[in-house]
Amino acid sequence: MNTIGLRTCLSLVLLALPVAADDALDHALAQVGLDRPSLGWTPRAHWTRYPADIPYKLRHFDGLLAEPLSTVRYARGHANAARRFLSPAALAKPGERGEGALYSLVHALGVSPRFGAFRAYSANLTAPPTPLDAAILDLHRTAGRATRHYTFGTDSPYPQLDKALAAQVALVPEAARPILGQLVAEVVGAHRWATLAFRRTTLETRIAVAKRLDLGEEEVDALDYAPEVDDLARDWDEASLWYAALRATDALDRARRELSALKDLPAFAFDWETPWGMIRLRGTGTDEIDGRNALLLVDLGGDDVYLGPAGSSASDRPMGLVLDLGGDDRYLADVPAHGAGVCGVGIVLDQAGNDRYESHTLGQGAGQFGLGALLDLAGDDRYAMRYSGQGCGYFGIGVLADALGNDRYELWSDGQGFGGVAGVGTLADGAGDDVYVAVRDPGITKRPSYHSELKVSVSNAQGCAMGRRGDGADGHSWAGGLGMLLDVSGNDSYLAGNWSMGTGYWFGTGLLWDGDGNDAYHGVVWSQGSGAHFCVGALVDEAGDDEHALDPGGRTGLAFGHDFTVALLVDVKGNDRYTTAGDGLGMSINRSVALLLDLAGDDHYAGPAERRPGQALFDDRLRDLGGASSFFAEATSLGLFLDVGGTDRYVPERTNNAVWLDPADSPNWVVRNLSVGVDRASGEVDLEPRPERPVPQRPAGRDTGAGSGSR
Ligand SMILES: [Ca+2]
Ligand SMILES: [Ca+2]
Ligand SMILES: [Ca+2]
Ligand SMILES: [Ca+2]
């Protein structure tokens, strides 16, 4: 790390600033001769030694690296989907093509950022209400199995599936049967697509991938190359897999709405083994439900316990689904479970109740060459697990969505919105005061961070993304994915160790977006709008009085970028506190763009004595054209701090309504490594992308309003 000491900085009192006459960010950039288009980077063909041949980049990545400020729009777009599709009104009824809100949600926050070929008009569910036994017999036939057996010219006395099935189905309330039959028929349809997804792959490869439960720790520094991952990534058909997942999601959601309308349901137990796994149906009793080898589990109510891998797929079973309509349920497992899509699709949809989810590795919304979703629509819920879950993806999609209630999320590492290699991991929470914890003590997590002398855990959590940085090892450099934590409202608390809360690494994008509420963010190193090595990390908080802290030992956060990182901390409203004893507060090293934008309120900033907010550190490599690579010398970098409005306090002390820049003789100016700090009394900042062309002006005096109805 560069350790250039404090230089005398040039401070100007903002006497000449026009008040609210123009955009405050544009004005701040103009202090150092920059404008918005001059931020970010597009690698040039002659940039030797630039890590350009990085497979598996998500399609948004190059664009955000080139247009850093568009990261805010990108985060808000996903936030809009969370707000809309987790609202009780949206969940209550389907859209105009019959599509349910959860289908739209899983598409918007999972499938679309990973794979852009769907636009989510409809899951095309076509099965009519079907007698339950007929639907299950059809499943057997679709799986290539006989449902009647003849030998010696006679009907074998056993097994007689239709009679056995009819006896079991008689236990199920009559009104529920056609809805459940329709659900089974749709599962048969979705299962076909999930199987197609892997038609070019071998079971050996899928088993090898499914056995890798350590991709989270393997990938970051490229510890132990897994060739089966590259092989499967070459051969899978992800369009088929995501179509299977979207159809399964919508089928569960439709069954949820229709079964919820039934009254006075009894307790019962239906169990049936199909060629694709168990179907278990339960009524309103207090049930203990075996999740092993389960294709479909449906519970119509009551406080239940799910044991084992409920809601998970496996290398030889591409689908595992759970629908629970109510009750305070407990989901317990020590294997991938509770929305674990491993070479397939795993979904849990729990409609109501105060639920507890406890598991170890991969689950609670985790995808590894698959889609895993945990969708909980109400209640005060508690989620606890160790690694890789609560919205986590590796070559896949993990979504944890919780619509209502005051929830607690606890994890050791790699989750709560974590985009591992080529993955999308999203945690979306609608309403409620929520607590997010990534356990800090490495004695518990076994993930000691060398950025904290092994005293703090590597969290990789709460809107974080990491790639496989193979440039120092075997050259299999895989791009990180997209990790998002989206919390719509409530007073929330975020606690994590290192690498958290809107942080990226190695072609990954980590986003934490929080809507309303007074929130507390506590990280340590690499936290809250930060990142290292070709990545994007952003924290956007739209409202409330918030606390942004790097706790003791903390540094390189609160808008800190290292080595071609876009690092944004944007707090739109409220009286906020920012605390760090280490580097941060809009600080760039090694050609990054780091911006801390606080757009309103009376704020308090406490930073290290030797730094000032909004600073880019000089390094001789920024002007070195004599080495093997020149791209450091050609790029532009920026550390920017902008506080708009309010009466602000600074430690060490600073004057309100002032501009501070590098001194005139700083070598930074020549190498376009720019520092700018602005505190101003008022102003506006528009963070939405500007139209590239001017808006046409209406001709005066003509009626142009006709026919302009909404579309
Ligand atoms: Ca239940
Ligand atoms: Ca719940
Ligand atoms: Ca919340
Ligand atoms: Ca807030």
Side-chain angles (χ1 to χ4, degrees):
M1 169 149 323
N2 190 310
T3 53
I4 290 198
L6 176 68
R7 291 166 183 270
T8 315
C9 99
L10 182 66
S11 262
L12 306 168
V13 175
L14 277 185
L15 295 174
L17 261 186
V19 176
D22 54 4
D23 187 282
L25 177 57
D26 289 339
H27 195 277
L29 291 170
Q31 302 295 320
V32 290
L34 294 179
D35 58 10
R36 297 183 188 215
S38 58
L39 306 181
W41 317 277
T42 302
R44 311 283 300 278
H46 61 270
W47 281 8
T48 52
R49 209 171 167 273
Y50 185 89
D53 295 318
I54 308 296
Y56 310 128
K57 265 188 290 187
L58 299 183
R59 72 186 184 285
H60 71 270
F61 182 82
D62 288 340
L64 294 189
L65 204 68
E67 298 175 50
L69 292 165
S70 293
T71 304
V72 177
R73 167 98 301 272
Y74 189 68
R76 284 176 173 166
H78 291 114
N80 291 344
R83 185 192 286 114
R84 178 171 167 195
F85 299 127
L86 289 176
S87 71
L91 289 163
K93 63 179 176 52
E96 63 183 47
R97 293 180 183 83
E99 78 285 8
L102 295 174
Y103 159 81
S104 302
L105 178 102
V106 167
H107 171 263
L109 302 183
V111 172
S112 178
R114 160 78 217 166
F115 185 75
F118 290 94
R119 288 204 293 165
Y121 293 105
S122 167
N124 305 309
L125 304 184
T126 54
T130 307
L132 179 56
D133 46 359
I136 292 174
L137 288 172
D138 185 58
L139 186 160
H140 283 259
R141 284 190 289 269
T142 306
R145 300 290 295 274
T147 56
R148 297 290 294 273
H149 306 85
Y150 297 92
T151 185
F152 296 106
T154 59
D155 191 353
S156 171
Y158 68 91
Q160 293 202 335
L161 265 59
D162 48 356
K163 287 182 184 159
L165 193 51
Q168 275 285 300
V169 164
L171 303 170
V172 179
E174 198 170 349
R177 289 179 210 160
I179 303 170
L180 292 165
Q182 185 180 33
L183 174 59
V184 169
E186 291 298 353
V187 169
V188 170
H191 192 278
R192 170 176 170 252
W193 290 102
T195 306
L196 274 179
F198 297 103
R199 68 189 183 275
R200 295 187 296 246
T201 70
T202 66
L203 181 60
E204 285 89 341
T205 307
R206 298 201 299 278
I207 290 172
V209 163
K211 280 179 178 288
R212 287 302 295 241
L213 299 181
D214 64 345
L215 285 183
E217 59 188 36
E218 192 282 327
E219 60 173 20
V220 176
D221 287 333
L223 303 178
D224 183 15
Y225 173 61
E228 59 272 17
V229 168
D230 271 329
D231 294 347
L232 196 56
R234 185 194 59 204
D235 290 338
W236 67 333
D237 163 14
E238 60 177 311
S240 289
L241 189 57
W242 309 144
Y243 194 39
L246 290 167
R247 290 177 65 127
T249 302
D250 207 30
L252 289 171
D253 200 19
R254 182 176 66 183
R256 170 189 71 86
R257 292 191 307 268
E258 296 186 358
L259 290 168
S260 296
L262 305 182
K263 302 277 183 264
D264 303 322
L265 295 170
F268 69 91
F270 169 101
D271 297 285
W272 189 261
E273 184 169 5
T274 83
W276 297 340
M278 295 297 299
I279 296 177
R280 299 187 192 278
L281 312 174
R282 295 292 183 274
T284 51
T286 300
D287 301 301
E288 188 176 289
I289 303 171
D290 184 348
R292 288 174 297 173
N293 187 35
L295 171 66
L296 177 65
L297 308 175
V298 179
D299 176 75
L300 302 180
D303 302 341
D304 308 302
V305 180
Y306 291 85
L307 297 174
S312 74
S313 65
S315 47
D316 62 346
R317 183 174 47 76
M319 194 160 274
L321 309 173
V322 175
L323 171 60
D324 189 292
L325 292 186
D328 299 337
D329 304 308
R330 294 172 69 205
Y331 294 79
L332 308 174
D334 58 7
V335 290
H338 314 151
V342 179
C343 300
V345 177
I347 301 174
V348 171
L349 170 50
D350 189 293
Q351 177 172 247
N354 304 321
D355 306 305
R356 295 181 65 118
Y357 302 89
E358 295 177 20
S359 59
H360 288 191
T361 298
L362 283 173
Q364 300 179 20
Q368 184 160 306
F369 286 93
L371 184 144
L374 172 47
L375 310 165
D376 186 293
L377 305 188
D380 299 335
D381 304 305
R382 294 172 71 93
Y383 303 85
M385 65 181 298
R386 297 182 180 177
Y387 307 110
S388 298
Q390 298 178 358
C392 172
Y394 308 100
F395 292 87
I397 297 163
V399 176
L400 170 49
D402 186 295
L404 297 172
N406 303 322
D407 306 303
R408 179 183 169 86
Y409 304 88
E410 187 173 311
L411 169 95
W412 288 4
S413 295
D414 312 325
Q416 296 178 355
F418 178 64
V421 284
V424 174
T426 304
L427 196 174
D429 188 288
D433 301 336
D434 306 301
V435 176
Y436 302 90
V437 175
V439 174
R440 263 194 201 163
D441 180 359
I444 294 171
T445 67
K446 316 298 185 218
R447 291 283 186 87
S449 171
Y450 52 71
H451 288 103
S452 293
E453 299 167 330
L454 311 183
K455 292 173 183 160
V456 175
S457 290
V458 172
S459 292
N460 294 350
Q462 298 173 9
C464 179
M466 296 249 151
R468 183 179 197 273
R469 188 182 170 197
D471 64 338
D474 51 47
H476 297 90
S477 279
W478 298 337
L482 171 66
M484 298 190 286
L485 199 172
L486 310 167
D487 186 291
V488 175
S489 64
N491 301 321
D492 305 306
S493 162
Y494 301 86
L495 182 113
N498 298 350
W499 304 99
S500 63
M501 303 179 207
T503 286
Y505 182 84
W506 200 252
F507 300 89
T509 303
L511 306 175
L512 196 173
W513 178 93
D514 189 291
D516 297 329
N518 305 323
D519 307 302
Y521 304 89
H522 287 264
V524 188
V525 180
W526 306 110
S527 183
Q528 300 176 53
S530 71
H533 311 297
F534 313 93
C535 65
V536 178
L539 190 165
V540 178
D541 184 291
E542 302 282 4
D545 300 337
D546 306 307
E547 185 172 344
H548 298 278
L550 301 184
D551 288 339
R555 59 186 167 82
T556 62
L558 307 183
F560 180 98
H562 164 39
D563 194 14
F564 288 78
T565 287
V566 170
L568 305 178
L569 200 178
V570 180
D571 194 296
V572 179
K573 292 178 189 163
N575 305 321
D576 307 305
R577 290 181 68 88
Y578 300 82
T579 310
T580 174
D583 288 340
L585 302 176
M587 182 174 219
S588 161
I589 67 169
N590 297 317
R591 289 304 192 200
S592 293
V593 168
L595 312 180
L596 194 165
L597 308 176
D598 186 291
L599 304 183
D602 300 330
D603 306 304
H604 183 277
Y605 300 94
E610 69 276 18
R611 303 289 188 216
R612 61 182 194 268
Q615 196 169 7
L617 289 195
F618 180 75
D619 186 302
D620 263 326
R621 289 182 300 161
L622 304 183
R623 60 186 171 195
D624 181 8
L625 286 166
S629 63
S630 62
F631 64 88
F632 257 60
E634 289 192 37
T636 296
S637 39
L638 172 69
L640 180 143
F641 170 90
L642 171 62
D643 180 284
V644 180
T647 303
D648 306 302
R649 284 192 53 218
Y650 292 87
V651 178
E653 205 167 309
R654 295 205 155 262
T655 311
N656 276 234
N657 308 328
V659 173
W660 47 93
L661 308 172
D662 282 324
D665 62 351
S666 165
N668 263 342
W669 294 98
V670 176
V671 300
R672 295 173 63 84
N673 184 50
L674 299 158
S675 307
V676 53
V678 173
D679 179 301
R680 52 187 283 165
S682 63
E684 302 287 333
V685 171
D686 183 358
L687 288 169
E688 298 298 335
R690 309 291 178 81
E692 291 174 5
R693 294 179 292 270
V695 177
Q697 297 299 304
R698 284 182 185 185
R702 280 169 64 182
D703 178 11
T704 54
S708 63
S710 65
R711 301 177 56 171

